[in-house]
Amino acid sequence: MKIVIQKVSQASVTVNNKIISKISKGYMLLVGISSEDTIEDINKLSNKVLNLRLFENPEKEGDYWRLNIKQIDNGQILSVSQFTLLARTNKGSKPDFHMAAKGHIAIDLYNEFLKNLRKELGEDRVKDGQFGAMMSCQLINEGPVTILLDSKN
């Protein structure tokens, strides 16, 4: 499982020219599920996302990397499933996506990931894209802070 986590001041997902999800302060996640991933990978990275300290202490200027998403006021997550994170590009010029989990397996694991996030953060603070759809993602990356997570590392 791979995740690109970006700290944002706002983010949204559009499908067919309609905004389907939108958040303010928090994280935009791009989530790739591999054919080798299990529930242990889901639990490991959902816990990492929820506890990673990427936010500053608002009471002390310059006191960075102190708070996690659960500790900030109204911290939200917008998660987007993205199989292209599993692309292999070491041969030729066409990406190979064979490491990505098949749709029916990936959606179950992805939904479990969302369930874990919502259990800890709250149903209303975790938004989602549309699994399998062509989506346009828009965000304002703060910092900029962008971190790659991999359940196998």
Side-chain angles (χ1 to χ4, degrees):
M1 179 177 187
K2 293 183 180 185
I3 297 177
V4 175
I5 181 170
Q6 297 177 90
K7 182 179 163 185
V8 300
S9 57
Q10 64 184 33
S12 64
V13 172
T14 301
V15 175
N16 295 325
N17 297 316
K18 180 181 177 194
I19 294 175
I20 63 165
S21 292
K22 186 176 182 178
I23 66 164
S24 54
K25 184 177 183 178
Y27 295 150
M28 172 110 186
L29 305 178
L30 303 176
V31 180
I33 309 286
S34 90
S35 58
E36 298 174 355
D37 288 334
T38 66
I39 195 68
E40 286 78 23
D41 297 287
I42 299 302
N43 293 338
K44 177 181 178 178
L45 287 194
S46 58
N47 186 54
K48 179 63 84 173
V49 166
L50 291 165
N51 291 295
L52 201 58
R53 297 183 303 166
L54 300 182
F55 295 94
E56 59 281 347
N57 179 353
E59 298 170 9
K60 254 180 140 178
E61 189 175 327
D63 195 17
Y64 299 105
W65 319 110
R66 296 291 178 218
L67 304 177
N68 64 43
I69 190 78
K70 299 181 290 185
Q71 296 171 311
I72 64 167
D73 288 336
N74 266 341
Q76 298 176 298
I77 293 175
L78 176 51
S79 181
V80 174
S81 176
Q82 187 175 6
F83 75 94
T84 60
L85 287 176
L86 284 298
R88 285 187 175 169
T89 58
N90 54 336
K91 290 183 181 178
S93 58
K94 182 181 177 191
D96 175 353
F97 300 111
H98 287 96
M99 287 302 299
K102 301 293 181 213
H104 66 284
I105 296 168
I107 196 166
D108 290 341
L109 289 172
Y110 181 68
N111 284 334
E112 190 66 28
F113 175 72
L114 292 174
K115 185 174 126 185
N116 287 354
L117 296 178
R118 289 177 173 138
K119 181 180 174 187
E120 288 290 321
L121 202 56
E123 196 73 31
D124 59 328
R125 290 173 60 186
V126 178
K127 309 291 184 187
D128 185 19
Q130 183 177 329
F131 190 91
M134 289 297 284
M135 296 173 270
S136 295
C137 301
Q138 189 170 26
L139 63 102
I140 297 176
N141 189 323
E142 291 297 318
V145 175
T146 301
I147 295 177
L148 304 175
L149 303 176
D150 188 330
S151 62
K152 304 305 183 203
N153 293 336

